[in-house]
Amino acid sequence: MKKIMMMFVASVVLLLTACSGDAQEKLYVYNVGEYIDREVLKMFEEEFNCKVVYELYDSNETMYQKIKAGGTNYDVAFPSDYMVEKMIKEGLVLPLDYSKIPNFQYISDEYKNLPYDPENLYTVPYFWGTVGILYDTTVVDEPVDSWSILWDEKYKGNIFMYDSQRDSLMVALKLLGYSMNTQNVEELEEAKQLLIEQRPLVYAYVTDQVIDNMIAGNAALAVVYSGDATYIMDENEDMEYVIPKEGSNMWVDAMVIPSTAQNVDLAHEFINFMQRPDIAQMNTEYVMYSTPNTEVLANVSEDEWTQNEAYSPSQELLDSLPMETFRDPGEFIKEYDDIWTQVLAASKR
């Protein structure tokens, strides 16, 4: 989720009020940052004579912990693939009634029956993308096709890494030829050592700060989510994006109905509304992340901002690379947590 958290303000709840009526139904929606066109929410309110209570979270883990703890009444949430899998295992999401989501017909088959929801019982894909390297073509004058460039002494102090446990370890694991879902402690140790060795070259570990910094040309190389890359390239024509030859994370964020939802029928209406082609197009044009909606893809495929490897990687390219989707590691997450803690501790020295 993969993935965009611009302008996130902790513990902010935004109440978007419809134009008429005081006793409307309420729909509680839980999402990350600027990951939706707010006009879409207003349109839903007007069309369904309801009030959308839109609350923000900063990570999948924050969202999971809050829903797991109980006492919430979110009707729709937007977890990433590995977190969907975890929530399904723990009974934290409800099966969907797809007869109430006819716009599911517009979802490309490539984004159905994925490993986190193999029978398509619980989810409707929202956005998808990859993780790759964004680079400044005025500074980097050599071919960029491997994660190894992030270990090149020539770019010391000119590299942004992503401040994310799974994504940063993914970079090192892929470079080593391992699965980013490994449950081999020795492989994780190798990845840890590689990241520790890289640390003197890294300017900073960042999240959404990478956007403004790369638009301004403040670094030569950055690990970024593809949607952020699309936006940055639209703002700075010197930037290019590549998915390294060792492969990467191909992620999917989905819409689900938490098991504690109080307005299940309206939640189905909302999920269906979000994949209505005109609404899905508004969203992708605002967020600039790749849509799984086939009708929308046909409409935006000629737009200049979509003509790049970030928004529109060819299926041939994706098939040629060892791409993976994050899986829930279960109890083994403790090993990932421990390794990441050691990486961050070493980074401070």
Side-chain angles (χ1 to χ4, degrees):
M1 181 190 290
K2 282 48 122 254
K3 308 19 161 189
I4 188 170
M5 293 177 281
M6 297 166 56
M7 299 172 63
F8 172 80
V9 180
S11 301
V12 170
V13 178
L14 301 175
L15 301 182
L16 302 169
T17 308
C19 297
S20 63
D22 296 323
Q24 301 149 316
E25 287 185 281
K26 288 184 180 178
L27 183 78
Y28 290 84
V29 178
Y30 202 24
N31 199 0
V32 289
E34 296 299 302
Y35 208 33
I36 198 169
D37 185 340
R38 301 301 171 86
E39 282 301 311
V40 163
L41 299 180
K42 294 177 183 177
M43 291 170 66
F44 182 80
E45 288 180 320
E46 292 168 1
E47 188 166 326
F48 289 89
N49 190 31
C50 67
K51 179 186 293 184
V52 175
V53 181
Y54 190 68
E55 186 169 343
L56 308 177
Y57 57 86
D58 62 345
S59 70
N60 277 285
E61 287 68 27
T62 298
M63 176 273 303
Y64 163 77
Q65 290 294 344
K66 194 164 184 181
I67 291 176
K68 174 78 171 177
T72 61
N73 55 353
Y74 301 119
D75 299 301
V76 181
F78 294 74
S80 298
D81 33 48
Y82 71 97
M83 191 56 71
V84 171
E85 184 178 13
K86 183 177 181 68
M87 294 174 77
I88 290 173
K89 288 178 183 175
E90 298 183 14
L92 297 179
V93 293
L94 297 176
L96 299 179
D97 182 348
Y98 288 89
S99 69
K100 297 179 180 178
I101 311 175
N103 289 333
F104 189 68
Q105 66 180 303
Y106 299 121
I107 299 295
S108 171
D109 288 343
E110 298 164 49
Y111 307 104
K112 296 176 180 177
N113 305 105
L114 294 175
Y116 61 83
D117 185 13
E119 297 180 60
N120 258 123
L121 299 176
Y122 300 92
T123 61
V124 171
Y126 182 54
F127 285 122
W128 71 276
T130 59
V131 176
I133 298 173
L134 186 77
Y135 64 99
D136 188 337
T137 58
T138 67
V139 179
V140 182
D141 57 4
E142 64 203 90
V144 180
D145 64 357
S146 169
W147 291 116
S148 63
I149 198 170
L150 301 175
W151 276 259
D152 191 328
E153 291 278 349
K154 179 166 53 175
Y155 301 108
K156 183 175 182 179
N158 218 2
I159 299 169
F160 283 120
M161 286 291 287
Y162 205 78
D163 189 10
S164 161
Q165 175 196 102
R166 296 297 300 271
D167 289 308
S168 286
L169 284 168
M170 176 275 293
V171 171
L173 286 165
K174 284 293 189 181
L175 182 56
L176 290 164
Y178 302 140
S179 168
M180 67 186 197
N181 291 305
T182 185
Q183 295 203 13
N184 183 308
V185 174
E186 291 182 0
E187 292 177 356
L188 277 179
E189 282 288 336
E190 286 185 59
K192 178 190 77 175
Q193 290 302 323
L194 203 56
L195 290 175
I196 290 173
E197 290 169 15
Q198 181 208 29
R199 178 54 187 154
L201 310 181
V202 176
Y203 180 72
Y205 277 81
V206 295
T207 52
D208 48 305
Q209 304 97 315
V210 74
I211 296 170
D212 288 341
N213 273 287
M214 293 306 286
I215 289 172
N218 290 339
L221 300 151
V223 176
V224 296
Y225 290 116
S226 53
D228 292 345
T230 299
Y231 176 73
I232 293 165
M233 289 188 290
D234 193 54
E235 296 291 319
N236 185 337
E237 63 182 13
D238 293 327
M239 297 294 167
E240 292 290 344
Y241 177 84
V242 67
I243 306 169
K245 63 185 178 183
E246 297 90 359
S248 184
N249 171 20
M250 183 176 169
W251 53 265
V252 178
D253 291 337
M255 293 178 283
V256 301
I257 300 179
S259 56
T260 53
Q262 301 297 303
N263 204 333
V264 174
D265 286 340
L266 194 59
H268 279 86
E269 294 282 12
F270 182 81
I271 291 172
N272 188 57
F273 182 81
M274 293 296 285
Q275 287 302 342
R276 200 174 79 189
D278 61 320
I279 299 302
Q281 184 163 339
M282 286 178 64
N283 255 339
T284 196
E285 289 175 346
Y286 179 83
V287 180
M288 289 190 166
Y289 272 64
S290 304
T291 177
N293 189 300
T294 55
E295 289 291 301
V296 176
L297 283 173
N299 289 336
V300 303
S301 62
E302 300 303 318
D303 292 348
E304 185 176 353
W305 64 273
T306 70
Q307 303 303 301
N308 55 69
E309 195 171 300
Y311 190 90
S312 301
S314 68
Q315 194 58 48
E316 291 77 14
L317 172 65
L318 295 175
D319 289 344
S320 72
L321 298 172
M323 304 296 289
E324 293 183 81
T325 297
F326 279 130
R327 302 296 303 273
D328 170 34
E331 289 299 312
F332 196 78
I333 191 61
K334 296 173 184 177
E335 301 292 341
Y336 277 91
D337 291 342
D338 184 52
I339 290 290
W340 183 240
T341 298
Q342 293 177 57
V343 169
L344 294 180
S347 297
K348 294 177 183 178
R349 292 200 290 267

